[in-house]
Amino acid sequence: MNSILDGQQQAVEADPGLNILSVDLECWEQLVHRKLTNQLIPCSESLVRSTSFLLNLFREKDVRATFFVVGYVAEAFPELIRRINLEGHEIASHGYSHLTIDMLSPERFREEIRRSSSVLRSLTGDSVKGFRAPEFSLGPGTHWAMEILAQEGIEYDSSVVPCSGRKHGVAGFSRGSVRLTAGPYSILEVPPSTITVLGRNRLAAGGSYFRLLPYFLIKRIVRRVNRDGFPFVMYCHPYEFSSERLGLQDDVKSRSRLAATALEFKYNLFRKTMRYKLSRLLDEFRFAPFREVLAHALRK
Ligand SMILES: [Zn+2]
């Protein structure tokens, strides 16, 4: 299948002073459990509590975000999705089952998009405009996915990391937003933010960077991306703001103790600094959802 990624690309200007805030709404316990055991457990109630923390913080700071929602989560907690929507945030898709694209055939990927869009539309009444691939897994071998997104009516994607990686990344891709066009199809790509270190682009939009770096360095990264002429495209997850320690069930630990302990350690390390860091960022920079920052470039 030809890829729209190999077609025409047109740079899309966006105000570098208005940054993009996004939340990937997924259940940490469910996804890590599946990674270690191949078994699917129900979404944890702790996700509702940590998402409520974020919603309250956003209300206090008077800021709206884009929530990329996993289909499993929307089915488990429909009231949570309705609340996010009612509070003025944008609901977008993070796939149905959070399987990375390299694990899916084009047919199964199309099914993921249709199913997740349908679940979300049934809860909000609005069609889904945006998509982000689980683990930014649009990369070598999965360029075909972009064509399917455009065919399925997705108007923008935020999955392409402009760097070379094993699972994710498209080397040489634009760091700023571009409109991709091939034949009758067109889609806007809004890459998560990267910074150039020693001549190489590195993903610096959230995740372990944000957990491990002190606030003053995060602030410097945001400023640098803005100085380069781009809005900062940030992502975070509710579990990073949980008041409880992230932990796996005992049966996972008894089966793969080393891997489970390593993952618990990795995701809890400096995690408690995230509340303070996000709060400071929202005080010091302007943030908005994708649909607002890129309103001029999206279809009317
Ligand atoms: Zn995810």
Side-chain angles (χ1 to χ4, degrees):
M1 195 184 290
N2 273 340
S3 171
I4 205 167
L5 273 169
D6 308 316
Q8 195 190 328
Q9 298 192 5
Q10 187 188 8
V12 170
E13 297 288 319
D15 175 2
L18 185 58
N19 302 293
I20 296 178
L21 179 61
S22 64
V23 179
D24 292 356
L25 194 66
E26 62 200 44
C27 174
W28 183 86
E29 289 85 348
Q30 184 184 51
L31 297 181
V32 176
H33 192 106
R34 183 177 66 183
K35 196 169 254 181
L36 295 177
T37 66
N38 269 330
Q39 286 168 357
L40 196 65
I41 57 168
C43 288
S44 163
E45 288 282 342
S46 66
L47 175 62
V48 178
R49 292 190 287 276
S50 49
T51 306
S52 287
F53 167 81
L54 281 178
L55 290 172
N56 293 339
L57 178 71
F58 295 165
R59 192 183 315 133
E60 181 194 318
K61 306 288 183 190
D62 195 23
V63 65
R64 246 65 60 200
T66 297
F67 283 71
F68 290 100
V69 181
V70 171
Y72 285 162
V73 172
E75 286 180 341
F77 302 119
E79 284 311 315
L80 181 65
I81 309 308
R82 286 196 192 99
R83 179 182 164 195
I84 296 169
N85 184 51
L86 281 174
E87 295 194 14
H89 304 286
E90 177 180 13
I91 302 286
S93 168
H94 196 32
Y96 180 76
S97 60
H98 203 276
L99 290 170
T100 53
I101 304 181
D102 55 295
M103 297 172 76
L104 301 167
S105 64
E107 293 70 29
R108 276 208 61 199
F109 179 68
R110 190 185 298 277
E111 190 50 35
E112 284 268 326
I113 301 305
R114 288 186 180 174
R115 212 165 160 189
S116 71
S117 295
S118 154
V119 174
L120 297 174
R121 195 173 50 238
S122 73
L123 294 171
T124 66
D126 296 325
S127 60
V128 172
K129 289 184 167 56
F131 175 77
R132 172 171 291 145
E135 299 177 29
F136 301 105
S137 56
L138 210 155
T142 53
H143 286 199
W144 47 261
M146 193 66 86
E147 187 95 351
I148 293 176
L149 290 173
Q151 289 169 356
E152 293 302 319
I154 297 292
E155 294 185 30
Y156 73 85
D157 170 79
S158 180
S159 311
V160 175
V161 184
C163 67
S164 54
R166 208 160 36 88
K167 216 176 196 183
H168 71 225
V170 176
F173 197 83
S174 165
R175 289 175 65 213
S177 303
V178 285
R179 177 158 289 285
L180 307 171
T181 309
Y185 299 109
S186 173
I187 188 168
L188 198 62
E189 174 57 40
V190 190
S193 285
T194 47
I195 49 165
T196 311
V197 182
L198 301 172
R200 285 183 59 189
N201 282 345
R202 290 164 203 277
L203 182 62
S208 47
Y209 261 81
F210 271 43
R211 290 196 298 276
L212 300 181
L213 291 179
Y215 178 72
F216 78 93
L217 283 180
I218 294 172
K219 183 172 162 175
R220 210 175 278 179
I221 290 172
V222 177
R223 284 226 176 104
R224 197 155 114 196
V225 170
N226 288 167
R227 264 206 313 273
D228 290 343
F230 312 120
F232 190 78
V233 180
M234 179 195 164
Y235 75 97
C236 60
H237 303 90
Y239 63 74
E240 291 169 309
F241 302 90
S242 172
S243 58
E244 303 141 55
R245 187 177 185 278
L246 297 175
L248 294 163
Q249 292 179 357
D250 288 341
D251 60 320
V252 191
K253 290 189 192 168
S254 59
R255 270 193 272 178
S256 41
R257 180 167 296 278
L258 198 62
T261 306
L263 285 168
E264 284 181 349
F265 177 76
K266 175 184 166 184
Y267 284 97
N268 280 301
L269 189 64
F270 294 119
R271 191 180 54 77
K272 287 204 166 158
T273 62
M274 284 295 287
R275 288 186 173 205
Y276 165 77
K277 290 170 184 169
L278 180 59
S279 178
R280 285 287 303 271
L281 273 178
L282 298 183
D283 283 339
E284 296 188 43
F285 296 91
R286 289 165 63 220
F287 280 93
F290 282 86
R291 67 170 179 215
E292 196 175 315
V293 176
L294 291 152
H296 61 289
L298 293 169
R299 280 172 230 150
K300 298 289 175 270

